[in-house]
Amino acid sequence: MKLADLLEQIDQIDTYKHYGRVKRVVGLMIESQGPESSIGDVCYIHVGHKHKRKIKAEVVGFKDENIILMPYTTVNDISPGSLVEASHKPLEIKIGPGLIGSVLDSLGKPLDEEELPKGLTPVLTEQQPPNPLKRPPISESIEVGVRMIDSLLTVGTGQRVGIFAGSGVGKSTLLGMIARNTKADLNVIALIGERGREVREFIERDLGPEGLARSIVIVATSDQPALMRIKGAFTATAIAEYFRDRGLNVMLMMDSVTRVAMAQREVGLAIGEPPTTKGYTPSVFAILPKLLERTGTNMLGSITAFYTVLVDGDDMNEPIADTVRGILDGHFVLDRELANKGQYPAINVLKSVSRVMNNVVPEEHRKSAEKLRELLSTYINSEDLINIGAYKKGSSKQIDEAIRLYPDIISFLKQETNEKASFHDSLNALYELMEKGENIR
């Protein structure tokens, strides 16, 4: 760097610290008189006896001449008149290859309280999505190691998929299977709004040592402030973007985007936004595309993303599910009825779709997948007649074929949690199943 450039940077440095004072705290909201700050800036609130500790907070709005802050931690120690110090910078985290295998909080700090490794790069958590004209088309498939997905709902490298389900239908288990078996270079896993008990269970049982060794996990549990849950999603996305820009194919998994929306609703209501559908504020529907559009492909690498969507009462048309489904490139629906029958993964193939599958698979693969879906649909539509004995064999060749192949189709769709299924093996199993149908005919 030239000396003139260095001197210019020195001239631009603000050598003064800017302070304000806390006026009041209402629920999640901290109202402060000063300092001068912008939306998204981080401020430090000095708390404790003689200001021994600083609490990070973010500027989320303004009211008259005062600024509205949301803290990243609890507000128990804040008192009227507490000093508020401006940083004039948005939230930054430090990222680098040394984080691989780590479990971090929403601010990028290790949860095991160890020191961050050396050689990390500071990066802003909020970035702009790639230029649409600089997004290469999705033209290659990526192996996720789940037979049903690889064969019938093939995912492209850089595709964004929603996993829609009610509670307790197997979302976390499915994410663990994908993380262990995928051929992506790196996994970035965001656990947003999870129960504290489930975090370690997911890491040790669902992810396992093999999966963790090639993953970075970001955790924001349900007891943490709303802003921490929101920042967890943005931090995970920023980490995935960092490695994408270094030419890697990254797998981002977020569980769940619904809890990010709920956290944003808390923030919106606290600063006075009007509630709309189901109490969600307008900022919720503004933040979702900003978050979800950041993943995908760019000229350097790709982020293949899986976002779980927790649907209330298994209602697939509730506001968040409907909005997310319209943004993403496909959706997998987990069916409670299938889970109750013991079919895992409990993906309802007929209600699920991969919007890029036809662009990334050969013609034979596409036709075989369509034929299996057709047979499965035929059986399910006639299931009541078959079960009560009202259907007479020979009335329909298609129904006869569906009845004969149905046990093999269900066996094909089932997969044990610890079972590995390569893309090649899954495809061969699909072809063999369809060939068996041809031979029966």
Side-chain angles (χ1 to χ4, degrees), residues 23-316:
K23 285 193 71 177
R24 64 174 184 159
V25 176
V26 181
L28 304 175
M29 180 186 72
I30 301 169
E31 196 172 319
S32 169
Q33 188 171 6
E36 184 180 336
S37 294
S38 304
I39 294 286
D41 281 358
V42 173
C43 291
Y44 300 95
I45 304 172
H46 294 246
V47 298
H49 183 60
K50 294 185 179 179
H51 311 304
K52 288 184 177 178
R53 191 162 63 91
K54 294 180 182 180
I55 290 177
K56 274 187 178 180
E58 185 174 308
V59 179
V60 295
F62 305 100
K63 185 177 182 182
D64 300 327
E65 299 298 320
N66 298 328
I67 65 172
I68 299 173
L69 300 157
M70 288 280 177
Y72 291 121
T73 55
T74 56
V75 296
N76 297 342
D77 297 334
I78 296 175
S79 58
S82 292
L83 282 178
V84 180
E85 178 187 340
S87 71
H88 300 299
K89 293 190 300 184
L91 181 66
E92 282 186 342
I93 58 168
K94 292 184 177 180
I95 309 174
L99 292 180
I100 297 173
S102 301
V103 181
L104 312 173
D105 68 9
S106 299
L107 305 181
K109 297 177 181 177
L111 274 187
D112 59 8
E113 300 181 351
E114 294 288 331
E115 291 293 324
L116 283 169
K118 303 294 183 183
L120 303 183
T121 306
V123 175
L124 293 174
T125 58
E126 297 201 30
Q127 304 280 354
Q128 292 299 315
N131 186 323
L133 295 182
K134 294 183 178 179
R135 284 186 185 266
I138 297 172
S139 56
E140 294 182 0
S141 60
I142 186 168
E143 180 179 324
V144 300
V146 179
R147 184 165 50 245
M148 185 192 304
I149 296 175
D150 284 338
S151 57
L152 304 179
L153 300 163
T154 311
V155 175
T157 302
Q159 185 178 353
R160 301 160 305 146
V161 181
I163 300 175
F164 294 73
S167 57
V169 189
K171 299 184 300 300
S172 298
T173 304
L174 179 59
L175 289 184
M177 288 177 68
I178 294 171
R180 289 194 306 274
N181 300 332
T182 181
K183 294 299 182 184
D185 298 320
L186 174 71
N187 300 317
V188 179
I189 304 168
L191 303 177
I192 310 299
E194 288 287 330
R195 305 173 189 91
R197 172 185 62 82
E198 291 183 333
V199 172
R200 188 165 179 178
E201 283 185 8
F202 176 83
I203 292 170
E204 294 182 356
R205 184 189 64 194
D206 296 330
L207 189 58
E210 179 186 351
L212 183 60
R214 50 200 295 270
S215 304
I216 301 173
V217 182
I218 296 87
V219 175
T221 51
S222 58
D223 60 291
Q224 294 183 337
L227 203 57
M228 283 290 273
R229 284 174 269 146
I230 296 168
K231 288 301 171 186
F234 282 88
T235 294
T237 306
I239 291 172
E241 288 171 327
Y242 173 89
F243 288 101
R244 174 183 65 184
D245 293 344
R246 277 145 188 79
L248 299 184
N249 292 324
V250 183
M251 182 75 76
L252 171 66
M253 287 167 273
M254 189 176 295
D255 184 15
S256 73
V257 74
T258 307
R259 294 191 178 107
V260 178
M262 289 176 174
Q264 181 60 38
R265 177 173 63 183
E266 288 181 40
V267 172
L269 291 173
I271 63 175
E273 282 190 73
T276 56
T277 313
K278 282 201 171 182
Y280 288 105
T281 57
S283 62
V284 173
F285 302 101
I287 199 176
L288 286 174
K290 285 182 181 178
L291 176 66
L292 304 180
E293 286 289 352
R294 286 170 61 180
T295 53
T297 57
N298 69 3
M299 301 299 289
L300 302 169
S302 69
I303 302 173
T304 307
F306 288 91
Y307 299 96
T308 68
V309 182
L310 185 64
V311 289
D312 292 334
D314 295 331
D315 177 14
M316 298 298 164

